[in-house]
Amino acid sequence: MNIAVLNETSSGEARVALMPDSIQKLVAAKASVSVESGAGLGAARTDDDFTNAGAAIVKDPKALLADADVLVCVSRPADEVFQSMKKGAVVLGFLRPLDEPARLVPALENGLTTFSMELVPRITRAQAMDALSSMATVAGYKAALMGADHIPRMFPLLMTAAGTVPPARVLVLGAGVAGLQAIATARRLGAVVEAYDVRAAAGEQVRSLGAKFLEVDLGGIQTEDKGGYAVELSEEALKRGRDLIAEQAKSADVIITTAQVPGRRAPVLMDETAVNGMKRGSVVIDLAGATGGNVTLSKADEIVDRNGVTIMAPTNLPATVPVHASQLYSRNVTAFLSLLIKEGDLHIDMNDDVVGPSCVTHEGKWMNQRVAAAMGIA
Ligand code: NAD
């Protein structure tokens, strides 16, 4: 079984899908791994590092693909990549099947079996494969650093001979994986942190990190589903949250928003009025930019200035921490691959409770109901 790794080509992408330590494990499991020359440079890994781990380095991506039984990638590859692979081959990566299902038609038409890391179920058995959590952790960390870097003041409380410097105030909206990591990082830097989430369960986690949890009376409505994820709220409930946020925003130096509802547009948590109420020099970092944003004024991957308030919506922060983001991702995909490798051969068991639900296309069919529905197929 040949596993291939290409250079990631999307703009700003510095991660690599497999790092040398994972390749050692795959080679020990009797798979062979080929890596396109230079694929690891963004993550500070040279061709020699990959060779020493047991991989073959290939200069020509076409030759690499023609030979591949499995292509492991970070972002969804270009149409031509799907078209260059042999029928029945496997592609594994962040394929955005729910956001852009039509972009997977070339894989479907070429008879490829595609597995999407976004669809890996968040069950205990699949925790080691939870790439969404890994990347959210990196993004939350980096968002707090960006906030600290962009405000014209310091984060910690300092008592100096020249007087006292008060700590920065950070407000985190959405206390899931990314939000909690942003809180922890901002706290380590010495900021005073407050956080809001619609899931009551998030309150305990927020408090355990030394931050204040903002409570809103949402009228006792259900805010989470059986799986522990937030559900789409009524306009009235959203408005109550927005009113509280607008009030708290007035004293915040940094606001980091991470609120998402799986499979839906991100909820709007801050409108223009809320931003207009903020202090000059304060910063908003909207981590929901890829799904429409939590802040009406934010523009994906652009920096917006509104009366001295900076609004940023970076859509790929994990790529700005490429070594650790690649290391975590590589371990996640390797754990998934271990379900597909038996005695060095490819063995796909669609009845497996992780493999089956993660599959998008197989033998020319859409395998996931939500993706098929998004494609308009009953
Ligand atoms: P996510 O990225 O889907 O959402 C981020 C946060 O936004 C969530 O905490 C959500 O409650 C919040 N949110 C949604 N709408 C909101 C609104 N209108 N106002 C304020 N906040 C809003 O979530 P995530 O970070 O991927 O994970 C969320 C939950 O899943 C957490 O409980 C987490 O512990 C759990 N989880 C479980 C596993 C596992 O069991 N393997 C793995 C990862 C996460």
Side-chain angles (χ1 to χ4, degrees), residues 59-290:
K59 287 220 157 69
D60 175 14
K62 279 237 161 10
L64 187 89
L65 288 171
D67 226 18
D69 299 305
V70 178
L71 171 68
V72 193
C73 48
V74 181
S75 304
R76 185 193 52 231
D79 295 1
E80 306 81 70
V81 169
F82 290 135
Q83 284 149 357
S84 305
M85 296 185 72
K86 57 190 179 194
K87 196 168 178 230
V90 168
V91 180
L92 170 64
F94 282 127
L95 305 180
R96 299 178 58 87
L98 294 168
D99 308 311
E100 298 175 326
R103 300 294 306 272
L104 293 171
V105 169
L108 178 93
E109 288 177 345
N110 196 20
L112 303 184
T113 299
T114 51
F115 292 105
S116 155
M117 292 309 284
E118 292 97 330
L119 295 180
V120 171
R122 277 167 146 179
I123 56 176
T124 308
R125 184 172 162 248
Q127 253 173 14
M129 305 160 208
D130 188 352
L132 281 181
S133 286
S134 298
M135 297 305 107
T137 299
V138 179
Y141 161 80
K142 192 62 189 275
L145 295 191
M146 278 177 81
D149 194 25
H150 277 85
I151 54 168
R153 48 185 300 144
M154 292 188 279
F155 259 33
L157 165 81
L158 293 180
M159 291 192 199
T160 79
T164 300
V165 172
R169 302 185 73 85
V170 174
L171 174 61
V172 175
L173 306 176
V177 180
L180 290 171
Q181 192 54 236
I183 294 169
T185 307
R187 289 282 304 137
R188 280 183 210 120
L189 290 173
V192 169
V193 184
E194 295 181 327
Y196 169 65
D197 197 295
V198 289
R199 292 178 302 109
E204 200 178 315
Q205 292 165 319
V206 167
R207 284 187 283 268
S208 75
L209 292 171
K212 181 178 172 194
F213 188 64
L214 302 171
E215 314 255 3
V216 179
D217 178 8
L218 296 177
I221 57 162
Q222 189 197 345
T223 57
E224 60 185 276
D225 62 16
K226 287 197 297 274
Y229 288 98
V231 293
E232 204 167 25
L233 299 187
S234 65
E235 192 40 45
E236 167 60 22
L238 276 173
K239 185 179 174 310
R240 288 192 194 185
R242 276 200 291 265
D243 289 347
L244 170 97
I245 291 162
E247 199 46 43
Q248 298 302 120
K250 290 177 186 165
S251 56
D253 297 298
V254 174
I255 300 184
I256 298 169
T257 78
T258 75
Q260 306 262 12
V261 177
R264 307 249 179 249
R265 190 208 178 281
V268 172
L269 301 184
M270 292 185 72
D271 57 15
E272 259 184 89
T273 319
V275 173
N276 288 341
M278 292 180 70
K279 299 183 292 191
R280 280 192 84 78
S282 52
V283 172
V284 181
I285 298 156
D286 183 351
L287 288 192

